[in-house]
Amino acid sequence: DGSISQQSVSRIDDDTINVVSFLFEFILEDLAIPTPIRALLARLQLPMLKVAITDKSFFAQKNHSARRLLNSLAKISTGWQHKGEAEDTLFNVIESIVNTVLSDFEDDISIFDALNEQLDHFVAQQEQTRTGAEKRLSQASEGQEKLVASQQHVDSTINQLLTQYSPVPTAALTLINEDWRKVLNLRLLQKGKDSTEWKHAIALMEKLLWSVSPKTDNDERKELIAIIPKLLKSLRSSLSGASFNQNKITKYFKDLQACHIQCLNGKKLAESELQDI
């Protein structure tokens, strides 16, 4: 009515103001929270003071929606590396929540429930994204370790067989090192070392190495004549994929044919065509 009234702050309200002030001092002095986000949280001091004065359960209830929102904002900000970029998702979410409180809060405490739900949803999404990224990284790491282990096992197996049949014709050695190694890696990764496919691939390589060693015995020559068609067919079938250069494969088989002819004749290959393992 135009008259002036003298109003004093009650002792309880005065204590409330002091406690809220201490609360924000504690938050704003926490160096683990990035400075830009501390500046945002500082803007919530007056709205939180208003809640504490009008709702006496603010301090009595640990899970009071306004207290929970403030605690959650401080917690998720701790240790955050603020880059000052427009796409800084956390900063944008906190800024949006603070602006909503400043512009929309009058006396309806339920606004804090809605903002808590919004923040919880954001945190859950971030956790899901982080978990997915960690899982992909773990799978990639496990895949790399598995690949390295597979290559080592293949190398060991190849070296063992090559040593057993040394010296080895260059034609067979080149085919094994450049292309059959890929077949073995693929079989081992896909099927495992106890699989029929892996054992068959090893048996084919061993049969190939046997086939290009000189045959001085008539029985061995007959056996070689019998197995060559099936051996070459099996090799070509395994090397027929798109990842193999078919022009190179054709050349390998021509060189193998020359080796087989000499083996059938009981002749030794020239030293220049052999490699010691």
Side-chain angles (χ1 to χ4, degrees):
D1 59 359
S3 63
I4 298 174
S5 63
Q6 297 294 330
Q7 295 181 346
S8 62
V9 178
S10 72
R11 176 62 184 273
I12 293 179
D13 289 344
D14 188 45
D15 289 343
T16 299
I17 292 172
N18 289 332
V19 173
V20 171
S21 177
F22 284 136
L23 173 64
F24 274 84
E25 281 181 17
F26 178 78
I27 292 174
L28 299 178
E29 288 175 2
D30 187 351
L31 298 180
I33 301 175
T35 302
I37 296 184
R38 274 185 278 160
L40 284 178
L41 297 181
R43 298 170 62 191
L44 291 175
Q45 184 164 350
L46 286 179
M48 290 297 167
L49 177 59
K50 185 176 180 181
V51 174
I53 290 176
T54 57
D55 184 356
K56 301 307 178 185
S57 66
F58 180 80
F59 291 115
Q61 294 181 4
K62 233 180 154 182
N63 289 325
H64 189 283
S65 56
R67 279 180 62 181
R68 189 159 69 87
L69 180 66
L70 184 60
N71 288 337
S72 297
L73 291 173
K75 183 178 178 181
I76 67 170
S77 304
T78 301
W80 187 269
Q81 296 297 319
H82 181 64
K83 301 176 183 177
E85 300 173 355
E87 63 271 17
D88 193 325
T89 311
L90 177 66
F91 183 84
N92 293 338
V93 167
I94 294 177
E95 184 177 42
S96 173
I97 289 174
V98 170
N99 289 335
T100 300
V101 172
L102 293 175
S103 61
D104 297 351
F105 174 62
E106 290 294 338
D107 53 17
D108 186 3
I109 303 298
S110 65
I111 187 175
F112 293 102
D113 290 322
L115 292 174
N116 274 313
E117 187 176 342
Q118 177 185 333
L119 186 60
D120 290 343
H121 179 67
F122 167 74
V123 171
Q125 281 187 322
Q126 292 297 105
E127 179 65 20
Q128 186 176 5
T129 301
R130 183 186 63 80
T131 302
E134 287 179 352
K135 185 177 180 181
R136 289 191 295 273
L137 183 61
S138 176
Q139 289 174 339
S141 178
E142 289 175 3
Q144 184 63 29
E145 290 175 2
K146 188 176 180 181
L147 180 61
V148 170
S150 170
Q151 289 172 341
Q152 290 175 343
H153 187 69
V154 167
D155 290 345
S156 175
T157 303
I158 289 176
N159 289 337
Q160 185 178 352
L161 282 174
L162 291 179
T163 303
Q164 181 181 337
Y165 285 91
S166 180
V168 178
T170 303
L173 187 62
T174 304
L175 184 148
I176 290 170
N177 279 333
E178 294 192 9
D179 288 287
W180 199 250
R181 185 184 300 274
K182 298 178 186 176
V183 174
L184 292 178
N185 263 318
L186 193 60
R187 296 288 187 276
L188 186 58
L189 285 170
Q190 288 182 338
K191 304 296 182 179
K193 62 182 179 181
D194 295 325
S195 66
T196 303
E197 290 82 356
W198 164 256
K199 292 176 182 177
H200 178 67
I202 295 298
L204 268 180
M205 184 177 73
E206 187 168 9
K207 194 173 290 186
L208 168 64
L209 290 170
W210 177 85
S211 74
V212 292
S213 58
K215 303 291 179 286
T216 56
D217 184 90
N218 285 332
D219 291 336
E220 285 187 334
R221 292 175 191 169
K222 290 178 181 179
E223 184 179 354
L224 179 59
I225 292 174
I227 72 166
I228 283 178
K230 187 176 180 181
L231 171 64
L232 295 180
K233 182 179 179 181
S234 296
L235 290 172
R236 188 173 288 278
S237 175
S238 298
L239 297 168
S240 62
S243 58
F244 300 103
N245 185 323
Q246 295 306 311
N247 290 329
K248 283 172 59 179
I249 301 299
T250 299
K251 182 180 182 306
Y252 293 156
F253 276 76
K254 285 183 179 179
D255 293 340
L256 285 176
Q257 184 181 24
C259 288
H260 286 150
I261 290 173
Q262 292 192 62
C263 289
L264 286 170
N265 292 331
K267 296 180 180 179
K268 290 186 177 181
L269 296 176
E271 293 292 330
S272 59
E273 298 179 18
L274 298 172
Q275 289 192 36
D276 288 316
I277 309 302

Coordinates of all heavy atoms in Angstrom, one line a residue, residues 209-241:
L209 N 55.6 -80.6 -50.2 CA 57.1 -80.7 -50.0 C 57.6 -82.1 -50.3 O 58.7 -82.2 -50.9 CB 57.4 -80.3 -48.5 CG 57.2 -78.9 -48.1 CD1 57.3 -78.7 -46.6 CD2 58.2 -78.0 -48.8
W210 N 56.9 -83.1 -50.0 CA 57.3 -84.5 -50.3 C 57.3 -84.6 -51.8 O 58.2 -85.3 -52.4 CB 56.3 -85.5 -49.7 CG 56.7 -86.9 -50.0 CD1 57.6 -87.7 -49.4 CD2 56.1 -87.7 -51.1 NE1 57.6 -88.9 -50.1 CE2 56.7 -88.9 -51.1 CE3 55.2 -87.4 -52.1 CZ2 56.4 -89.9 -52.0 CZ3 54.8 -88.4 -53.0 CH2 55.4 -89.6 -53.0
S211 N 56.4 -84.0 -52.5 CA 56.2 -84.2 -54.0 C 57.4 -83.6 -54.8 O 57.6 -84.0 -55.9 CB 54.9 -83.7 -54.4 OG 54.9 -82.3 -54.5
V212 N 58.0 -82.6 -54.2 CA 59.1 -81.9 -54.9 C 60.5 -82.4 -54.5 O 61.5 -81.8 -54.8 CB 59.0 -80.4 -54.8 CG1 57.8 -79.9 -55.5 CG2 59.0 -80.0 -53.3
S213 N 60.6 -83.5 -53.7 CA 61.9 -84.0 -53.4 C 62.1 -85.2 -54.4 O 61.2 -85.9 -54.8 CB 61.9 -84.5 -51.9 OG 60.8 -85.5 -51.7
P214 N 63.4 -85.4 -54.7 CA 63.7 -86.5 -55.7 C 63.2 -87.8 -55.4 O 63.2 -88.2 -54.2 CB 65.3 -86.4 -55.8 CG 65.6 -85.1 -55.3 CD 64.6 -84.7 -54.3
K215 N 62.7 -88.6 -56.4 CA 62.2 -89.9 -56.1 C 63.1 -90.9 -56.9 O 63.1 -91.0 -58.1 CB 60.8 -90.1 -56.6 CG 59.8 -89.0 -56.0 CD 59.6 -89.3 -54.6 CE 58.7 -88.3 -53.9 NZ 59.3 -87.0 -53.7
T216 N 63.9 -91.7 -56.1 CA 64.8 -92.7 -56.7 C 64.2 -94.1 -56.7 O 64.7 -95.0 -57.4 CB 66.1 -92.7 -55.9 OG1 65.8 -92.9 -54.5 CG2 66.8 -91.3 -56.0
D217 N 63.1 -94.2 -56.0 CA 62.5 -95.5 -55.9 C 61.2 -95.6 -56.8 O 60.5 -94.6 -56.8 CB 62.1 -95.8 -54.4 CG 61.5 -97.1 -54.2 OD1 62.2 -98.1 -53.9 OD2 60.2 -97.3 -54.3
N218 N 61.1 -96.7 -57.4 CA 59.9 -96.9 -58.4 C 58.6 -96.7 -57.7 O 57.6 -96.2 -58.2 CB 60.0 -98.2 -59.1 CG 61.1 -98.2 -60.2 OD1 61.4 -97.2 -60.7 ND2 61.6 -99.4 -60.5
D219 N 58.5 -97.3 -56.5 CA 57.2 -97.2 -55.7 C 56.9 -95.7 -55.4 O 55.7 -95.3 -55.5 CB 57.3 -98.0 -54.4 CG 57.4 -99.5 -54.7 OD1 56.9 -99.9 -55.8 OD2 57.9 -100.3 -53.9
E220 N 57.9 -95.0 -55.0 CA 57.7 -93.6 -54.7 C 57.2 -92.8 -56.0 O 56.4 -91.9 -55.9 CB 59.0 -92.9 -54.2 CG 59.3 -93.3 -52.7 CD 60.5 -92.5 -52.2 OE1 61.3 -92.1 -53.0 OE2 60.5 -92.3 -50.9
R221 N 57.8 -93.2 -57.1 CA 57.4 -92.5 -58.4 C 56.0 -92.8 -58.7 O 55.2 -91.9 -59.2 CB 58.3 -93.0 -59.5 CG 59.8 -92.5 -59.4 CD 60.6 -93.1 -60.5 NE 62.1 -92.8 -60.2 CZ 63.0 -93.4 -60.9 NH1 62.8 -94.3 -61.9 NH2 64.3 -93.1 -60.6
K222 N 55.6 -94.1 -58.5 CA 54.2 -94.4 -58.8 C 53.3 -93.7 -57.8 O 52.2 -93.2 -58.3 CB 54.0 -95.9 -58.6 CG 54.7 -96.8 -59.7 CD 54.5 -98.3 -59.4 CE 55.2 -99.1 -60.5 NZ 55.0 -100.6 -60.2
E223 N 53.7 -93.6 -56.6 CA 52.9 -92.9 -55.6 C 52.8 -91.4 -56.0 O 51.7 -90.8 -55.9 CB 53.5 -93.0 -54.2 CG 52.6 -92.4 -53.1 CD 53.3 -92.5 -51.7 OE1 54.3 -93.2 -51.6 OE2 52.7 -91.9 -50.8
L224 N 53.9 -90.8 -56.5 CA 53.9 -89.4 -56.9 C 52.9 -89.2 -58.1 O 52.1 -88.2 -58.1 CB 55.3 -88.9 -57.2 CG 55.4 -87.5 -57.7 CD1 54.9 -86.5 -56.6 CD2 56.9 -87.2 -58.0
I225 N 53.0 -90.1 -59.0 CA 52.1 -90.0 -60.2 C 50.7 -90.0 -59.8 O 49.8 -89.3 -60.3 CB 52.4 -91.1 -61.2 CG1 53.8 -90.9 -61.8 CG2 51.3 -91.2 -62.3 CD1 54.2 -92.1 -62.7
A226 N 50.4 -90.8 -58.8 CA 49.0 -91.0 -58.3 C 48.5 -89.8 -57.6 O 47.3 -89.4 -57.7 CB 48.9 -92.2 -57.4
I227 N 49.4 -89.1 -56.8 CA 48.9 -88.0 -56.0 C 48.9 -86.7 -56.6 O 48.2 -85.7 -56.2 CB 49.6 -88.0 -54.6 CG1 51.1 -87.5 -54.8 CG2 49.6 -89.3 -53.9 CD1 51.8 -87.1 -53.5
I228 N 49.8 -86.5 -57.7 CA 49.9 -85.2 -58.2 C 48.6 -84.5 -58.7 O 48.4 -83.3 -58.3 CB 51.0 -85.2 -59.4 CG1 52.4 -85.3 -58.9 CG2 50.8 -84.0 -60.3 CD1 53.4 -85.4 -59.9
P229 N 47.8 -85.2 -59.4 CA 46.5 -84.5 -59.9 C 45.6 -84.1 -58.7 O 45.2 -82.9 -58.7 CB 45.8 -85.6 -60.7 CG 46.9 -86.5 -61.1 CD 47.9 -86.6 -60.0
K230 N 45.5 -84.9 -57.7 CA 44.6 -84.6 -56.6 C 45.3 -83.5 -55.7 O 44.6 -82.5 -55.2 CB 44.4 -85.8 -55.7 CG 43.4 -85.6 -54.6 CD 43.2 -86.9 -53.8 CE 42.2 -86.6 -52.6 NZ 41.9 -87.9 -51.9
L231 N 46.6 -83.5 -55.6 CA 47.4 -82.5 -54.8 C 47.2 -81.1 -55.5 O 46.9 -80.2 -54.8 CB 48.9 -82.9 -54.8 CG 49.8 -81.8 -54.2 CD1 49.5 -81.5 -52.7 CD2 51.3 -82.3 -54.3
L232 N 47.5 -81.1 -56.8 CA 47.4 -79.8 -57.5 C 46.0 -79.2 -57.4 O 45.7 -78.0 -57.3 CB 47.9 -79.9 -58.9 CG 49.4 -80.3 -59.1 CD1 49.7 -80.4 -60.5 CD2 50.2 -79.3 -58.4
K233 N 45.0 -80.1 -57.6 CA 43.6 -79.7 -57.5 C 43.2 -79.1 -56.2 O 42.6 -78.1 -56.1 CB 42.7 -80.9 -57.8 CG 41.2 -80.5 -57.9 CD 40.3 -81.7 -58.2 CE 38.9 -81.4 -58.2 NZ 38.0 -82.5 -58.5
S234 N 43.7 -79.8 -55.1 CA 43.4 -79.3 -53.7 C 44.1 -77.9 -53.5 O 43.5 -77.0 -52.9 CB 43.9 -80.3 -52.7 OG 43.1 -81.5 -52.8
L235 N 45.4 -77.8 -53.9 CA 46.1 -76.6 -53.8 C 45.4 -75.4 -54.5 O 45.2 -74.3 -54.0 CB 47.5 -76.7 -54.3 CG 48.5 -77.6 -53.4 CD1 49.8 -77.8 -54.2 CD2 48.7 -77.0 -52.1
R236 N 45.0 -75.7 -55.8 CA 44.4 -74.6 -56.6 C 43.1 -74.2 -56.0 O 42.7 -73.0 -56.0 CB 44.2 -75.1 -58.0 CG 43.8 -74.0 -59.0 CD 43.8 -74.5 -60.4 NE 45.1 -74.6 -60.9 CZ 45.8 -73.6 -61.4 NH1 45.3 -72.4 -61.4 NH2 47.0 -73.8 -61.9
S237 N 42.3 -75.2 -55.4 CA 41.0 -74.9 -54.8 C 41.2 -74.0 -53.6 O 40.5 -73.0 -53.4 CB 40.3 -76.2 -54.4 OG 39.2 -75.9 -53.7
S238 N 42.2 -74.2 -52.8 CA 42.5 -73.4 -51.6 C 43.0 -72.0 -52.0 O 42.9 -71.1 -51.2 CB 43.5 -74.1 -50.7 OG 42.9 -75.3 -50.2
L239 N 43.7 -71.9 -53.1 CA 44.3 -70.6 -53.6 C 43.4 -69.9 -54.6 O 43.9 -69.0 -55.3 CB 45.7 -70.9 -54.1 CG 46.7 -71.5 -53.2 CD1 47.9 -72.0 -53.9 CD2 47.1 -70.5 -52.1
S240 N 42.1 -70.2 -54.7 CA 41.3 -69.7 -55.7 C 40.6 -68.4 -55.3 O 39.8 -67.8 -56.1 CB 40.3 -70.7 -56.2 OG 39.4 -71.1 -55.1
G241 N 40.7 -68.0 -54.0 CA 40.0 -66.8 -53.6 C 40.5 -65.5 -54.2 O 41.5 -65.4 -54.9

